[in-house]
Amino acid sequence: MTALEPSDAEVTPPPADRAEAPAAPDDDRGGVLGRSHRALSVGIVSVVVLIAFEATAVGTAMPVAARELHGIPLYAFAFSAYFTTSLFAMVLSGQWADRDGPLRPLASGIAAFGAGLLLSGTASAMWLFIVGRAVQGLGGGLVIVALYVVVSRAYSERLRPSIMAAFAASWVVPSVVGPLASGTVTEHLGWRWVFIGIPVLVVFPLALALPAIRRMASGPADPSAPPQPFDGRRIRLALGISVGAGLLQYAGQDVRWLSLLPAAAGAALLVPAVLGLLPRGTYRAVRGLPSVVLLRGVAAGSFIAAESFVPLMLVTERGLSPTMAGLSLAVGGATWALGSYVQARPRLEPHRERLMVLGMVLVAAAIATAPSVLIASVPVWIVGVAWGVGCFGMGMVLASTSVLLLKLSAPEEAGANSAALQISDGLSNVLLLAAGGAAFAALGGGAVGTAHAAVGASGSHPGAFAAVFLPMAAVALVGAWVGTRCDVS
C-alpha cells in the first residue's frame, strides 16, 4: 500500500520508520557535482532548464501563433490542454516509476515533450496546435514526477536539499532570457521556430542523464519483490481529475448560465478524484506527509494567483508599460534561487519546518504589500522589493516541501507521493486563480483594461485588485500554520 491510499493511520510515521533509498550515498564527497554524481546532476538539471525555457519562451510566441492560426477564441485551451493532460501523466508516472524505476517514464516524457513541441510548431490549424500542447503536457507530467524519484534514489538525504536548490536556480536564466529570445525569434524567423527549435535541446540532457540514471536509479525499488501491476483505480481517478479540471476551466472561460452544467460535472469528477489521490487527511492538515502536500498547494496557489495580477495592476492602475511591469518581477527569479540555496545549508536542516513557516509569512507579507501601489503616493518600486521578498520565501518553502516529501516516503512510495505533491500544486493554481478571477470580475475588474485604454486614467477599479491580493495573503497565512504541522519528529 502506498502512502496515497486510505489507511487506518492518521499520522504519517516519522522518518526513523522509513526505509532509505538503496542507491544513494556511496560517495557524497564533492556534493552533487562530485565524481559519482556529476553527470547525473548536470543531466537532470539540464532537463529542468529545458522545461523552464519552454515555459517562459512559448508563452511569448503563443499570441502570435493563435492569431496566425485564426484561433484566438480557443487561445485559453492552448494552456489548459497542457495542464489537464499533465495531471493524468503525473499519476501514471508515479505508478510507472515505483513499479519499474524512473528511467522509462523520464525518457518517454522527454520524447513526448519534444513530439508535442514539433506537433504544435508544424500545426496548420488551431485544434492541431492544441493537440500538440496536450502531448507536451503528457510529457511534462511524466518528466517532473520521474525526476523526483531519481532524486530519491540516487541522492542521499544530505544531498537532496542541494539538488532541489539547483532545480530552483535552473529557472533564473530562462525566466530572463526565455521571453527575450522567444520574442526575437518570433519577430525575425516566425513563431514556429520557437516550438521547433526547443526539441533540439533534448539531445544534451538525454546523453548525460539517461546513462547515469540507468547506473544509479534504474529498476524497481525492491528488485527481489514481484512486480506490482498498475493500479486501475488510480488510473481512473487520474483520468477523472484531468477531465474534471478541464471541464471547470471550460466553464470558467464561458461565463453563461449553461456553463453551470460543465462546472457541476467537473466538480463531480474532481472532488472524489482528489480525495482518492492525495494522502488521507490532506484537507485537514494531518501532521506529517498530508500537511507537506497541503502546504505545497497553499503556497503555490496563493502566490501564483496573486502574481498573475501584478503586471495588470501596474499597467492599468499606475500607467507602466508592459515591459516595465514585467521587469518589476524580474528580481524574483534570483531571490527564489537564493531562498532555495538557504534551505540547502546543512546547519539549517534541523530548522526546516521553521524555515517553511518563515517563508510563508514572507509570502503573505509580499502579497499583502503589493496592492499598496494602488495608493498614488506609494512608489512603484515597492512591488519589486515586496515580490523579491516573497520569492525568497517561496524558494525556501517549495524546495523544503520537496525535500520533506522524499524524507517521509519509502523508496517504493516516492513516485506516488511525488505525483500527489504535483497534483496539489497544479490544482491549487487553477482553483485559486479561478477564485481570484471571479472576485476581480465581480468588482468591475473586467472593465479595467477597457477603461484604461479609453481614458488613460489609473486607479479606476482598485477594489477589484484588492479583492484578489488580500484574500490570497490570508491563504498564505493559513499556509504558515500548515507549516507547523509538517514536523513529525
Side-chain angles (χ1 to χ4, degrees):
M1 182 184 70
T2 70
L4 293 184
E5 293 174 339
S7 67
D8 294 331
E10 285 295 299
V11 178
T12 302
D17 295 336
R18 296 287 188 178
E20 272 299 317
D26 288 341
D27 184 7
D28 282 358
R29 289 173 297 179
V32 297
L33 292 178
R35 184 175 60 181
S36 61
H37 291 92
R38 185 180 301 126
L40 178 62
S41 297
V42 173
I44 62 177
V45 168
S46 298
V47 172
V48 177
V49 170
L50 172 66
I51 293 173
F53 187 80
E54 184 276 340
T56 55
V58 166
T60 304
M62 201 87 76
V64 180
R67 278 200 307 270
E68 185 173 315
L69 296 173
H70 307 290
I72 294 296
L74 301 175
Y75 180 76
F77 291 100
F79 292 94
S80 61
Y82 182 101
F83 171 75
T84 53
T85 55
S86 68
L87 283 174
F88 174 78
M90 288 171 188
V91 178
L92 177 62
S93 182
Q95 287 203 33
W96 195 356
D98 284 341
R99 183 179 186 273
D100 299 327
L103 182 63
R104 292 179 180 176
L106 181 62
S108 300
I110 293 175
F113 192 78
L117 283 165
L118 290 174
L119 183 57
S120 292
T122 57
S124 58
M126 190 64 179
W127 68 269
L128 276 174
F129 184 89
I130 292 172
V131 170
R133 292 288 292 165
V135 175
Q136 268 187 263
L138 286 172
L142 289 172
V143 166
I144 191 65
V145 173
L147 283 177
Y148 274 69
V149 179
V150 170
V151 171
S152 74
R153 295 192 182 188
Y155 294 85
S156 67
E157 189 173 312
R158 186 180 71 84
L159 293 182
R160 289 173 192 165
S162 296
I163 194 65
M164 290 300 175
F167 284 175
S170 299
W171 282 80
V172 176
V173 173
S175 65
V176 176
V177 175
L180 178 61
S182 176
T184 302
V185 171
T186 300
E187 182 178 347
H188 292 93
L189 298 177
W191 65 268
R192 294 183 184 275
W193 286 102
V194 175
F195 291 85
I196 295 173
I198 292 177
V200 177
L201 303 176
V202 171
V203 176
F204 177 72
L206 284 176
L208 273 178
L210 296 189
I213 293 172
R214 184 179 291 109
R215 185 179 71 254
M216 302 178 69
S218 62
D222 185 1
S224 63
Q228 296 296 316
F230 283 97
D231 188 337
R233 172 179 171 271
R234 291 194 171 281
I235 298 297
R236 290 191 296 271
L237 289 175
L239 186 60
I241 208 171
S242 292
V243 175
L247 288 172
L248 284 175
Q249 290 176 72
Y250 172 79
Q253 293 158 11
D254 186 21
V255 184
R256 297 180 298 167
W257 284 108
L258 287 177
S259 298
L260 292 175
L261 294 177
L269 288 170
L270 197 62
V271 171
V274 170
L275 293 177
L277 290 173
L278 298 186
R280 184 178 180 181
T282 295
Y283 72 98
R284 292 185 286 111
V286 168
R287 187 174 294 277
L289 181 64
S291 287
V292 172
V293 173
L294 178 61
L295 178 59
R296 178 61 164 255
V298 170
S302 60
F303 189 80
I304 296 302
E307 185 178 58
S308 301
F309 286 87
V310 170
L312 181 64
M313 178 176 66
L314 294 177
V315 169
T316 61
E317 303 299 308
R318 294 301 297 264
L320 268 65
S321 68
T323 300
M324 291 302 298
L327 287 175
S328 69
L329 304 179
V331 69
T335 57
W336 192 304
L338 179 61
S340 297
Y341 172 82
V342 168
Q343 65 79 37
R345 298 304 87 204
R347 64 182 180 181
L348 293 179
E349 178 62 34
H351 310 291
R352 183 167 300 282
E353 289 75 20
R354 293 182 182 178
L355 286 179
M356 293 193 298
V357 173
L358 172 62
M360 289 310 302
V361 171
L362 294 178
V363 170
I367 296 174
T369 300
S372 66
V373 298
L374 294 169
I375 303 171
S377 59
V378 175
V380 173
W381 55 261
I382 288 293
V383 172
V385 173
W387 226 247
V389 171
C391 285
F392 179 81
M394 285 293 288
M396 291 196 296
V397 172
L398 294 200
S400 291
T401 57
S402 300
V403 171
L404 276 181
L405 178 106
L406 297 178
K407 183 178 180 180
L408 295 170
S409 300
E412 67 275 10
E413 299 173 342
N417 290 351
S418 297
L421 193 75
Q422 297 301 322
I423 288 171
S424 178
D425 188 316
L427 271 181
S428 65
N429 285 343
V430 170
L431 296 178
L432 290 179
L433 268 170
F440 184 72
L443 291 177
V448 165
T450 303
H452 178 73
V455 301
S458 62
S460 54
H461 291 82
F465 289 101
V468 174
F469 287 97
L470 298 183
M472 294 307 158
V475 172
L477 280 178
V478 172
W481 172 77
V482 175
T484 66
R485 308 277 297 167
C486 294
D487 183 9
V488 295
S489 59

